[in-house]
Amino acid sequence: MNEKRLHKVLQKMSENGLGQMIISDPMTIFYLTGKFIDPGERMLVLLLKVNNRPMLFVNEMFAVKDDFGADVVSYGDSEDPIAILSPHVDNEVLLGVDKVWPARFLIRLMHQVKVKDFVDISPIVDSIRARKDEEERELMRVASRINDQAMEKIIAKLPNRYSEKKMAQILLETYQELGAEGFSFEPIIAYGANGADPHHETDATSILNEGDSIIIDIGCRKDFYCSDMTRTVFYKKADELQRKVYNIVLEANMKAIETVKPGVRFCDIDATARNHISKFGFGQYFTHRTGHSIGLDVHETGDVSSANTEPVDEGMIFSIEPGIYFPGKFGVRIEDLVLVTSDGCEVLNHYPKDLQIIG
């Protein structure tokens, strides 16, 4: 059990007048305990109470040591886990439940206990996870360094004119060679007109043609922490419009990064990138938010968008990834991860961003 992180959660519970909560998200349980369990369809619950020792309810097929830092309650496949959990829930008080607990468990518990009310406690946990401690910051740096190396290796393979799908397979092998566990998300490797779809699904039929832009949006998972980075390069040549668009996106990326510091609102960072692109008449082609928070999950709470008026804080890590996309033609996106420091930010990605023509 990570006592410092647990203390922060318990303190937030007290501040919000909440005496008990159910955490079911495997990544949050890992964040607090150092133990990762993927329960599949089985119930996994960490029950926290302000004045009691934590309790972990877990199927007996998942071995948990006695020195886990919580009281472990195991159940078998022939037993009813809700019937085992419910006697440990205090009635007539609030019960916090996180946003990912399946309805098949929550609804049944609602019929078996008489709590004052059920409350979504994800904002409490998310706000704590958003501010990375020093151990997490270093893990994110390591994951990003691996991603830098992988980007260099994958770009070097592009002149072979493999399909997008083949390049993704090479990327997975590259991550494994570099010591990562695998993808943090399905990579986006998009040739030419495919790059006009911000979330293009890498396919097995597309191959490179002269003049194609190539969007490479990739990330790995290392020691549970995620990396994410996008670079756009061109095959053999780039025409005048492609060069212009590339430089505008690069400037938007850099200007947004320059605004990052504690106290600046997420929406203001988004506006910096968006206004720069709009100034050149391409605002309608920037079709997504400027970024997302990242850590144990590749997308965490706290997006860089016009809708998020919250200020950024030291320890937060999120992406800056403006883009311009012309349907049926090409797209350009440039993405870096930034770590908010006491007076600015640290860019975690170091692979070059100068316009690059390969092949």
Side-chain angles (χ1 to χ4, degrees):
M1 188 70 67
N2 188 308
E3 295 295 339
K4 285 186 177 180
R5 296 174 186 173
L6 177 62
H7 176 72
K8 288 180 181 179
V9 172
L10 296 175
Q11 187 174 30
K12 281 280 189 180
M13 288 173 64
S14 295
E15 292 171 1
N16 286 271
L18 189 63
Q20 57 183 351
M21 69 162 62
I22 285 174
I23 296 176
S24 67
D25 179 5
M27 279 303 179
T28 298
I29 292 175
F30 170 77
Y31 174 78
L32 293 173
T33 68
K35 176 74 172 179
F36 180 76
I37 299 169
D38 181 358
E41 76 278 11
R42 296 173 173 87
M43 189 190 80
L44 174 68
V45 161
L46 181 65
L47 178 63
L48 298 183
K49 296 184 180 181
V50 171
N51 297 314
N52 293 84
R53 182 175 165 86
M55 298 184 72
L56 183 75
F57 296 82
V58 60
N59 190 279
E60 62 187 8
M61 70 180 293
F62 303 106
V64 180
K65 296 180 180 178
D66 293 338
D67 60 354
F68 182 67
D71 293 334
V72 178
V73 180
S74 298
Y75 65 89
D77 278 347
S78 62
E79 297 178 283
D80 179 357
I82 294 298
I84 294 171
L85 169 65
S86 57
H88 298 278
V89 174
D90 296 333
N91 290 314
E92 309 304 330
V93 296
L94 294 173
L95 174 62
V97 180
D98 70 17
K99 60 191 176 189
V100 303
W101 204 34
R104 66 180 182 273
F105 298 132
L106 173 59
I107 292 173
R108 290 190 57 232
L109 184 68
M110 292 173 73
H111 290 294
Q112 293 197 24
V113 297
K114 296 180 179 180
V115 299
K116 183 177 181 180
D117 201 357
F118 290 82
V119 181
D120 177 12
I121 51 81
S122 289
I124 291 176
V125 177
D126 290 345
S127 67
I128 294 169
R129 279 182 53 179
R131 293 155 176 83
K132 273 58 179 177
D133 57 34
E134 190 51 51
E135 177 185 355
E136 293 180 286
R137 298 178 197 186
E138 185 55 31
L139 287 166
M140 289 294 291
R141 292 185 186 105
V142 171
S144 292
R145 282 198 294 270
I146 291 175
N147 216 22
D148 284 337
Q149 294 173 294
M151 182 68 76
E152 180 178 10
K153 290 179 180 294
I154 206 72
I155 287 177
K157 296 284 187 180
L158 286 171
N160 293 317
R161 300 186 71 220
Y162 295 129
S163 70
E164 295 172 348
K165 183 68 73 175
K166 176 65 174 177
M167 290 298 293
Q169 293 169 351
I170 293 171
L171 176 64
L172 179 58
E173 294 168 1
T174 300
Y175 279 144
Q176 292 168 342
E177 291 169 0
L178 293 171
E181 286 86 49
F183 297 143
S184 56
F185 60 94
E186 283 298 316
I188 299 171
I189 300 175
Y191 299 160
N194 291 343
D197 176 2
H199 272 187
H200 169 68
E201 292 186 9
T202 299
D203 66 52
T205 59
S206 298
I207 59 171
L208 277 175
N209 294 298
E210 184 173 318
D212 278 350
S213 66
I214 308 159
I215 291 182
I216 308 168
D217 187 345
I218 62 175
C220 67
R221 189 179 290 277
K222 170 64 175 172
D223 295 327
F224 290 95
Y225 282 81
C226 299
S227 61
D228 189 3
M229 171 176 54
T230 306
R231 294 292 184 263
T232 301
V233 299
F234 299 89
Y235 184 58
K236 290 193 178 293
K237 67 178 184 180
D239 63 28
E240 184 177 348
L241 178 61
Q242 288 172 325
R243 290 174 181 271
K244 179 179 180 179
V245 168
Y246 186 90
N247 288 326
I248 291 170
V249 172
L250 176 59
E251 290 164 359
N253 166 272
M254 296 174 70
K255 286 179 179 293
I257 289 172
E258 289 171 2
T259 67
V260 177
K261 63 180 179 180
V264 172
R265 298 181 303 172
F266 282 102
C267 59
D268 295 328
I269 301 169
D270 177 84
T272 298
R274 200 165 302 279
N275 291 344
H276 183 76
I277 289 174
S278 296
K279 182 174 68 175
F280 291 92
F282 296 123
Q284 65 180 311
Y285 302 110
F286 181 11
T287 55
H288 55 76
R289 63 191 177 186
T290 296
H292 58 86
S293 294
I294 187 171
L296 285 168
D297 292 305
V298 73
H299 283 194
E300 297 190 343
T301 299
D303 65 341
V304 188
S305 74
S306 60
N308 189 356
T309 59
E310 292 297 314
V312 307
D313 198 5
E314 184 175 357
M316 291 181 173
I317 300 177
F318 49 84
S319 66
I320 302 290
E321 49 181 304
I324 294 176
Y325 311 92
F326 294 105
K329 296 181 180 179
F330 72 95
V332 172
R333 181 166 66 252
I334 302 172
E335 174 188 15
D336 296 299
L337 297 185
V338 295
L339 161 63
V340 183
T341 61
S342 60
D343 59 356
C345 72
E346 173 188 345
V347 180
L348 300 185
N349 300 109
H350 302 287
Y351 187 84
K353 293 187 283 189
D354 297 331
L355 190 148
Q356 187 176 168
I357 297 175
I358 56 96

